[in-house]
């Protein structure tokens, strides 16, 4: 079964063709970081316009690279949330239009659930219960997975998502947007023990996360106590790699320690990690001694992409054995993890 995936939830326009949920025939991604970098974050209106310009050429390219014609596509799968409403509208309407024009079924999938799917897409024999961990720019949570579509929330961030904290610290250190990969690069030259940063804990909720205190700690270090964000920096260029390394170590160790403890506590047979922060190599090192097998997204599936959307769409379509979604399906900025 050939599935065309469409992803436009935030600042990546992406299209892919995936066979039977696993075999990636094409995976085309147009990132918009150039467009948003001067704003230090995503500018929603500009994101929408760029999706509008790119969506049709990218669909063409994905079909061409997969060497597949529209007639051969069996299903169209689109991320219908969570995300920026204008950006989602573009993708969902493109999917509905193609479904109508090509007379094909379509299915709307959850972008965050697709990040989890990206991790078990490469796993031949997934074993359950498993621990699902999403660490992205918009989400940070742990779920117990009993099967695809069956999740029990264990813990989540009470303030910033971890990727958001990386991006905000990137702004404090005058790094280009998005801050995550830049901090990782800078941290390689720094001493992670130089600054005593720590991620937050939430009283009585051992599996929850809090990164806003950590971020504020970096702010005070960079600008001095009682500062405002516009105050001049109190650090030298020489301090920056040490701040990046100390921040990164604190944030990533918090994820690692809670994930490994939760996997043990909830008797999980595998750990699946998804979302943009899984791109970080230091995080992968920290998980090296895990007793529970750890699965990461395949290359090019950590950051936003449409192969994970096509793959998840395939499973939802065959599992529920339905005819696809109706044209009533609307994009939603917030949706529960599974349909
Ligand atoms: O999953 P994703 O592409 O988009 C969302 O669904 O949010 O994640 C993007 C996030 C950004 O916050 C970005 O800074 C972060 O992932 N990120 C990283 C790295 N690469 C991307 N964070 C830390 N280290 C990285 N190497
Ligand atoms: Zn994402």
């Amino acid at each position: 079964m050939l599935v065309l995936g469409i992803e436009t939830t935030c600042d990546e326009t992406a299209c892919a063709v995936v066979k039977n949920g696993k075999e990636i025939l094409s995976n085309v991604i147009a990132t918009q970081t150039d467009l948003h970098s001067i704003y230090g974050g995503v500018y929603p209106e500009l994101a929408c316009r760029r999706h509008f310009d790119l969506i049709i050429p990218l669909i063409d390219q994905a079909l061409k690279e997969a060497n597949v014609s529209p007639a051969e596509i069996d299903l169209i799968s689109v991320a219908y949330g969570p995300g920026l409403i204008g950006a989602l509208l573009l993708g969902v309407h493109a999917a509905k239009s193609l479904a109508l024009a090509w007379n094909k079924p379509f299915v709307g999938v959850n972008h965050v659930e697709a990040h989890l799917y990206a991790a078990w897409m490469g796993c031949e024999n997934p074993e359950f219960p498993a621990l699902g961990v999403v660490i992205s720019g918009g989400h940070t949570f742990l779920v117990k997975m009993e099967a695809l579509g069956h999740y029990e929330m264990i813990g989540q961030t009470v303030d910033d998502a971890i990727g958001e904290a990386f991006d905000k610290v990137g702004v404090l250190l005058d790094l280009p947007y998005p801050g995550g990969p830049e901090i990782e690069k800078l941290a390689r030259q720094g001493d992670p023990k130089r600054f005593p940063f720590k991620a937050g804990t939430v009283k009585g909720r051992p599996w929850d996360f809090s990164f806003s205190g950590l971020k504020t700690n970096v702010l005070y270090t960079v600008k001095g106590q009682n500062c405002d964000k516009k105050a001049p920096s109190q650090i030298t260029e020489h301090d920056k790699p040490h701040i990046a390394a100390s921040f990164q170590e604190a944030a990533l160790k918090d994820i690692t320690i809670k994930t490994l403890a939760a996997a043990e506590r909830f008797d999980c047979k595998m750990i699946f990690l998804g979302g943009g922060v899984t791109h970080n190599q230091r995080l992968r090192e920290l998980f090296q001694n895990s007793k529970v097998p750890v699965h990461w997204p395949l290359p090019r599936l950590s950051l936003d992409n449409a192969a994970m959307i096509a793959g998840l769409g395939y499973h939802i379509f065959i599992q529920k054995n339905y005819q696809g979604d109706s044209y009533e399906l609307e994009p939603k900025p917030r949706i529960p993890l599974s349909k």
Side-chain angles (χ1 to χ4, degrees):
M1 183 169 178
L2 289 176
V3 184
L4 174 71
I6 298 177
E7 154 66 38
T8 62
T9 57
C10 190
D11 60 345
E12 257 99 33
T13 323
C15 298
V17 178
V18 175
K19 191 172 174 184
N20 297 334
K22 293 243 174 209
E23 196 186 329
I24 301 171
L25 304 185
S26 64
N27 184 24
V28 187
I29 305 168
T31 178
Q32 304 184 356
T33 45
D34 58 319
L35 193 64
H36 305 288
S37 59
I38 56 164
Y39 304 101
V42 179
Y43 195 127
E45 177 63 26
L46 292 181
C48 278
R49 291 184 201 184
R50 183 62 73 85
H51 289 311
F52 181 76
D53 290 342
L54 291 183
I55 190 81
I56 303 289
L58 280 189
I59 290 168
D60 279 343
Q61 193 183 337
L63 291 171
K64 209 164 157 199
E65 284 186 17
N67 202 14
V68 156
S69 71
E72 291 170 282
I73 294 289
D74 299 297
L75 173 72
I76 297 159
S77 177
V78 62
Y80 80 107
L84 302 170
I85 187 64
L88 290 165
L89 266 168
L90 250 296
V92 170
H93 283 277
K96 285 184 188 174
S97 309
L98 288 181
L100 193 63
W102 294 348
N103 194 23
K104 309 282 178 185
F106 85 98
V107 60
V109 307
N110 182 313
H111 171 92
V112 183
E113 187 182 9
H115 271 307
L116 275 183
Y117 179 71
W120 70 282
M121 201 165 172
C123 172
E124 284 303 321
N125 298 306
E127 286 181 48
F128 297 99
L131 187 71
V133 185
V134 172
I135 40 177
S136 71
H139 295 85
T140 302
F141 62 75
L142 306 174
V143 284
K144 187 171 179 185
M145 304 167 66
E146 294 292 350
L148 187 74
H150 295 267
Y151 312 108
E152 185 193 325
M153 189 62 75
I154 293 175
Q156 56 194 312
T157 181
V158 295
D159 40 57
D160 291 346
I162 182 169
E164 188 183 354
F166 267 87
D167 295 339
K168 287 177 177 166
V169 168
V171 172
L172 288 173
L173 297 179
D174 288 324
L175 299 172
Y177 172 83
E182 299 293 329
I183 287 177
E184 180 178 8
K185 238 186 277 164
L186 195 61
R188 285 192 205 119
Q189 304 140 40
D191 173 5
K193 297 204 177 94
R194 183 70 63 89
F195 293 92
F197 297 144
K198 265 190 97 132
T201 50
V202 185
K203 208 171 163 208
R205 288 153 65 180
W207 313 114
D208 278 353
F209 299 92
S210 169
F211 295 108
S212 91
L214 170 61
K215 179 192 67 190
T216 309
N217 231 317
V218 176
L219 171 71
Y220 288 162
T221 306
V222 175
K223 308 257 174 161
Q225 293 282 341
N226 304 323
C227 67
D228 77 86
K229 283 188 187 146
K230 297 206 172 77
S233 180
Q234 309 230 338
I235 54 162
T236 63
E237 284 300 310
H238 180 75
D239 295 321
K240 286 186 179 176
H242 303 308
I243 293 178
S246 304
F247 160 78
Q248 174 176 269
E249 201 69 3
L252 298 184
K253 276 204 170 141
D254 188 53
I255 297 288
T256 313
I257 289 167
K258 285 177 183 159
T259 299
L260 295 179
E264 200 176 318
R265 161 72 182 75
F266 295 96
D267 297 323
C268 295
K269 298 194 171 72
M270 288 188 167
I271 299 172
F272 295 108
L273 288 113
V277 181
T278 62
H279 212 238
N280 188 295
Q281 295 308 307
R282 176 64 189 140
L283 181 71
R284 296 189 182 213
E285 270 171 35
L286 287 171
F287 272 94
Q288 258 166 15
N289 295 327
S290 168
K291 290 189 202 111
V292 181
V294 179
H295 293 272
W296 302 93
L298 297 169
R300 295 207 12 114
L301 297 195
S302 277
L303 300 170
D304 288 349
N305 67 85
M308 66 182 189
I309 305 296
L312 178 59
Y314 164 81
H315 284 280
I316 290 176
F317 193 73
I318 57 160
Q319 256 191 9
K320 292 188 178 164
N321 195 22
Y322 63 7
Q323 304 302 308
D325 281 319
S326 90
Y327 291 104
E328 308 282 300
L329 182 88
E330 290 296 344
K332 293 203 179 73
R334 287 167 187 274
I335 46 173
L337 192 56
S338 58
K339 276 184 147 179

